[in-house]
Amino acid sequence: MLCLLALVVVLVVWALNSGGGGGGKGSGAPTDTHTPVATITPGPTPSGTHISGRPGGRDTSGGDGGSSGGGADGATSAGGSGDTTGATGSDAGTGASAAGATGGADTAGSGGSSDSGGSAGTGDPAGSGGGSSTGGEVPVGSTLPDCTAGSVALTLTSAQNSYGPGQSPQFRLKAANSSGVACKMDFGPRSAVFTVTRAADNSHVWASDDCPTGGAHLMEVPAHGSTTFTLRWSGKNSSPQCAAPKGQTAQPGTYLVQAKAPGHDAKQASFVLSAD
């Protein structure tokens, strides 16, 4: 019995030593004793407006800029997007500007094949309303040759056949260049002289050189093109050398207007000043 009891004690001791020794010397892999991390619950979603754009100021990457329309891009694109739309807006603005310039040139005259604008007054205190022309204005002393009758033909017309009270008659002198060389022509009041006479008795009513104050008005007449000068008469009479009578309104009736330029034959047209 003692031997059996001793054997049992030996087996118990061996068993205990065998279990504890495995943990001390280390077996294949350590036992995982860590507690799992608890799941993080997201906080409440903010209900207010939040900034979604990138920091650093205005986005210049070509995104939608229609609502901002500010800065240099806003001026160029007229509120369009920063890339393709902006370019389209710029092109449209350019086209509109070009159209506006053309319209300004055509306002005063009938327009030749080279209408580019420009205007100048005849400066007659007795009643000339001023003149304007289509075609490029050139400075005094320009090296362009003077237009001659051999290459430039003149045509005179009245803008309307009849003018009522308060309307200013307008006369158009068109210079058409048939040559291949551009030239210049002076439409100033002392050079291209307009004269208005009464048709019934050919009596003098008004002339652009009666009392002129303006100087030369040189315009280019392009090769194979034309330039039109339009003179607006106020309908008041004048006398040579600024003498009297002058400044009186012309009476209703039929009138003749004549235009004479140096080296060119005089051109004539008729018009009516009506009573109503």
Side-chain angles (χ1 to χ4, degrees):
M1 291 295 291
L2 291 175
C3 290
L4 181 60
L5 181 59
L7 179 60
V8 170
V9 172
V10 170
L11 291 175
V12 172
V13 172
W14 177 83
L16 292 175
N17 290 336
S18 180
K25 297 178 181 179
S27 56
T31 304
D32 186 8
T33 60
H34 296 287
T35 303
V37 179
T39 303
I40 299 176
T41 303
T45 302
S47 59
T49 303
H50 61 282
I51 300 174
S52 59
R54 299 184 305 176
R58 181 169 53 87
D59 185 0
T60 59
S61 62
D64 185 9
S67 60
S68 62
D73 291 344
T76 303
S77 64
S81 64
D83 41 37
T84 306
T85 306
T88 304
S90 177
D91 293 340
T94 304
S97 299
T102 304
D106 291 339
T107 300
S110 60
S113 60
S114 60
D115 299 346
S116 62
S119 64
T122 56
D124 188 328
S128 170
S132 61
S133 56
T134 59
E137 186 173 357
V138 296
V140 176
S142 169
T143 58
L144 283 175
D146 294 331
C147 297
T148 63
S151 59
V152 173
L154 300 180
T155 304
L156 177 65
T157 58
S158 175
Q160 298 176 201
N161 292 327
S162 179
Y163 301 89
Q167 289 185 307
S168 298
Q170 296 186 38
F171 314 125
R172 296 169 177 166
L173 182 61
K174 180 179 179 179
N177 187 357
S178 60
S179 73
V181 179
C183 60
K184 68 178 185 292
M185 186 168 181
D186 186 3
F187 290 97
R190 294 179 176 86
S191 184
V193 179
F194 289 77
T195 303
V196 175
T197 58
R198 186 180 293 274
D201 55 6
N202 202 33
S203 58
H204 180 90
V205 177
W206 174 86
S208 62
D209 64 345
D210 275 350
C211 194
T213 58
H217 183 56
L218 300 177
M219 302 300 300
E220 177 183 354
V221 183
H224 302 297
S226 63
T227 292
T228 299
F229 177 83
T230 299
L231 182 139
R232 185 177 66 255
W233 176 46
S234 67
K236 300 182 182 296
N237 68 350
S238 65
S239 298
Q241 306 298 321
C242 297
K246 62 180 179 179
Q248 300 173 348
T249 302
Q251 297 300 309
T254 301
Y255 291 83
L256 300 175
V257 57
Q258 176 182 278
K260 181 71 171 65
H264 297 265
D265 295 334
K267 301 299 177 181
Q268 186 171 275
S270 64
F271 63 98
V272 174
L273 296 180
S274 63
D276 51 21

